[in-house]
Amino acid sequence: MGGYLFSVFVLFAWVPHIYGLWPIPRSLETGSVALKLANSFRITANVPHPPSDLSDAISRTVGHLRTDKFERLVVGRGSADSETIQHARELKSLTLALAPGSPVRSISDEAILPIESRSEEYTLHIPSDGSAASIEANSTLGLLRGLTTFEQLWYFFDGQVYTLEAPVSITDSPAYPYRGLMLDTSRNFFPVTDIKRTLDAMSLAKMSQFHWHATDSQSFPLVIPGFTEVAAKGAYSSLMSYSSKDIQDIVSYAGARGIDVLVEIDTPGHTAAITESHPEHIACSHASPWSQVAGEPPAGQLRFASSATANFTANLLTAAAKLFPSKFFSTGGDEVNTECYANDSQTQSILQSTGQTFEQALSGFMQTTQGALEKAGKTPVVWEEMVLEHNVTLSNETVVMVWISSQHAAAVAAKNFRIVHGPSDFFYLDCGAGEWLGNDVSGNSWCDPFKSWQKSYTFDPLANITPEQSHLVLGGQQLLWTEQSDPSNLDSIVWPRAASSAEVFWTGATLPDGSPRNVKSALARLHDFRFRLIQRGVSAIALQPLWCALRPGLCDGDS
Amino acid sequence: MHSTPQDLLDAVARSESGLKSDSFERLVVGRGSADSTAVHRALSLDALVLSLDSGRLIRSVADEATVSIASRSESYTLSIPARGQARLVANSTLGLFRGLATFEQLWYTLDGDKYLLNAPIEIADEPAFPYRSFSLDTARNFYPVDDILRTLDAMSWVKMSVLYWHVADSQSFPLEVPGFPELAAKGAYSKEEMYSVNDVELIIQYANTRGIDVVMELDTPGHTTAVGFAHPEHVACAGKSPWAKYANEPPAGQLRIASNATVEFVKRVFQSVLTMMTSTMMSTGGDEVNLPCWEEDEETIDVLNKRNIAIGEALNEFVVAIQGVLKANKITPFIKGDMILTHNVPVTNDTVAVVWQSSADAAGIAERGLRFIHQPSNYFYLDCGAGDWVGNNILGNSWCDPFKTWQRAYSFDPYANLTEAQFPLVLGGQMPLWSEQSSSENLDSIVWPRLAVAAEVFWTGGTLPDGTSRLANNVTGGRAAFSRLNELRYRLVDRGVKAIALQPKWCVLRPGECDVDA
């Protein structure tokens, strides 16, 4: 008998960790005991007057545990575990509790707190004897993060939902508070349902920020009260615009899933669509050849030197800011084209009459727009050029998004601004699909090659940043610019790659076993995550032949 | 027409219901509303009348689509007068079917009205090349039957004539072969991820009735590890590590070509697969054979030593034996170009080579007087440019970077580097999707609308109807192919195929304004 127990012990000792958690928790201990969910399995919140979005989150988790039919990725799939499942103990309940003294606020309220004061940490315990599992946190947001971890522990086979790794003990918190995804809804339009599905997938990866690049030169789909003519004329059609109700729908859907919505109205460049309703505010509108006055067609930028245009913009931003409860608001600021203004007689005559330089006028415009945002209680967010290429005065609170190159983060840090990493050389989801401009037979993507998940996964948020500057790094995000994307390929171009940065910025540099985070061990978990997304109706693409997904490591370059 | 074939009646019914349910509005600023006055005033078209030229044998679309590739009749004429009845005339039901595909593309929708703005229309049409194909790999990852049927529908809308089905490979063997059920039972990813005999019959029949011939490829002797799941005795270096030494990708494994038992086994498998086909063509594959795999395989070494032959001779014998099965069944054999150009195997004179490594290889095949199809990786591979899929390879890129844009593919010249005397050797071409990084989730988005480029390269040929060269410098610009391709893309989306956007919609509505030189 003793010999039998001993041999069982040895066998289990050789079983590798099989969890498919994404992002992987900061601290994680698992055993090798099988547990299955009892038919009566329920989740209870030991929270006084639980907010409705917490109750909804619990219902969603219970629903997913019932409807996900994801079989473990091993040769033989779920049938490989059938014997083990039969003899497994049952888990009857999961209990959620807030730490004593924690305030009881809705997930939505917690998710939109100032980024430095959000509480996402949680602990999760699943005993191996079938007694109640528990999640504890300091906030409902932390409880939500714990629920998404719990959901990822379970596999399906033959009507049973089981895990093989009890007991489970997790203490988890994000390395960085900003873990985002940017979506451009201007080059091509995305219906609300597509955005909601994307938010669901983001939530499963514990992402915290949806950066909504809502408007650009091609279309202006955002209906802003008081400025409804801008979308009425600048959206692709009335069906391809976001009403106040749509916006509220998206914001509350995101908030309930622990996601803050950072909206961007890009200014003063990338604004040609405003010319449809307000030609008086746009310089070099639809000028040809576009390549001399814009990064891409159509040309057109706000006449920032004009005080009428600056006031129009500030008022528009103020009105838009009211639609979004987030503390963050981005005024964009990338790729301002000076040639556009050099040829614009109106801008030139204003500069002459006021005696201002181009940069002085731009700084004045920025002070007007940023001032309006601050008045609306917002923390301004800008693209890196506003700090690195232009001589404009910005509030110290400003958050700077680095996009041109990962090399530029250090320069932003040197100016003591907070940073969100979105470098095109690591995180652009649209790179590598060839040129979209016409009459360019051998044109390639400007940011070739394609950014593989492996490339994104190796991003180091603190590269070239001194320890004293590291507090400036808020996190980062992958980005989808949509010249070549629309609802037809949203899921396939975003997922599962966007989960790469979710782990980079949640887990940080170190895996729970103390070893450095690495692509070799990540792949099996990312496969797991991808198959879970498919269960939930997200058309995430295959990273490898299924043969490889079932045999971790055998399709490595060096195996 | 007396005794109209059922599949032609079905095609007419599909065109009618397609025209009714399409909701595609013309791609102009304002969309359909821009045409509302014109639509109000338009005259009505009463009917489209289909007829075959007198004296023609009436056969089904499916039968016409599977006659030998050199003798297919796809030509048609279509007349749409400014009032009255439109007429579609052809020499075959297949020609009528092609004409219906054209007719469907002429119409726009506004408020329930179907209209066009350019009557009268006179079209006389026929393909420049008979072989216009898509090659789908269902082994690296599996595609449900419904995905294949949807793809066939879309292919038929752009008049494609062949589905080249790369059905099995080293990763899985999803094809149920009569008499060899163990191949799929053990070689498919799961019993849900295989094609039963009934599935294959359905796919072939669905394709044929849509004017598409199905050419099966059983890739041999490489790319066959999955055969070893059921028959380890026939596979050398199965799963051997490091895979990079024994194969182009994991898992390693190739048929034991020197073994008599293996050759006999493969012959019987081919014989069985032939019974499932309606095509007169089949491919034995032959790409990327790896010599170290055999050179270190003891069983292979034993046979070679006993017979005192080199591995090259065994390879020759293997190909001759398999091609012999096809020949005995009057099937035209296809083979990958490297079998000829790299391994110099003796092939029958009627062999069709699949030129894949580089467009530059076509001339070498033509020099040998063999017919061929173009499938060059440097123009037509749909999977290029998505990064490396091999694990633990951070900076790895796609082996065939960069991504092949539609513009790149469209610039392909089927006659480049060929003499005029060699032109008849070109049957056409195909764009392949290798599925290491593709599956049901992104099939539409990675294939469409790019695949339609090959359809036009090989249907329209080198000259546009106005007599200018399709390959002239500016034809990919917004005012030429691009606006038509954008339109096709929106029509595909309208019919449930998730073709991707090629440009911001702003550009789509303004042809030419997003050209690089606009």
Side-chain angles (χ1 to χ4, degrees), chain A residues 284 286-294 297 299 337 343, chain B residues 513 515-518:
Chain A
C284 73
H286 299 188
S288 174
W290 60 263
S291 55
Q292 289 183 9
V293 291
N337 185 296
N343 298 329
Chain B
E513 291 196 33
D515 283 5
V516 71
D517 48 0

Side-chain angles (χ1 to χ4, degrees), chain B residues 173-334:
Chain B
F173 196 104
L175 182 69
E176 185 192 344
V177 180
F180 300 87
E182 73 279 9
L183 281 171
K186 298 199 172 170
Y189 282 133
S190 70
K191 62 181 191 298
E192 290 78 30
E193 290 164 291
M194 68 165 76
Y195 304 102
S196 68
V197 171
N198 285 342
D199 291 337
V200 174
E201 190 183 347
L202 169 64
I203 288 168
I204 290 176
Q205 194 239 354
Y206 196 92
N208 292 168
T209 56
R210 281 157 183 79
I212 297 168
D213 194 7
V214 179
V215 175
M216 304 289 288
E217 175 178 276
L218 273 192
D219 203 347
T220 58
H223 292 276
T224 42
T225 316
V227 171
F229 299 149
H231 290 282
E233 69 277 17
H234 294 315
V235 177
C237 77
K240 201 164 175 181
S241 174
W243 61 262
K245 184 177 174 190
Y246 304 104
N248 277 38
E249 65 181 45
Q254 300 185 152
L255 292 171
R256 288 196 163 114
I257 50 171
S259 151
N260 242 335
T262 299
V263 174
E264 289 307 312
F265 165 79
V266 176
K267 283 165 68 178
R268 282 185 285 122
V269 170
F270 269 85
Q271 185 69 50
S272 177
V273 172
L274 288 177
T275 64
M276 308 167 81
M277 304 178 353
T278 58
S279 183
T280 61
M281 303 180 277
M282 182 175 184
S283 177
T284 62
D287 52 313
E288 300 183 316
V289 297
N290 178 296
L291 297 179
C293 169
W294 287 314
E295 287 162 356
E296 295 181 21
D297 180 50
E298 280 184 26
E299 296 201 24
T300 301
I301 294 167
D302 279 352
V303 179
L304 295 179
N305 286 345
K306 272 184 200 141
R307 295 189 52 206
N308 194 25
I309 60 169
I311 189 69
E313 282 172 78
L315 183 59
N316 290 348
E317 289 177 8
F318 177 85
V319 171
V320 168
I322 308 306
Q323 284 208 330
V325 177
L326 301 189
K327 189 171 186 167
N329 288 275
K330 298 190 169 57
I331 298 294
T332 301
F334 280 46

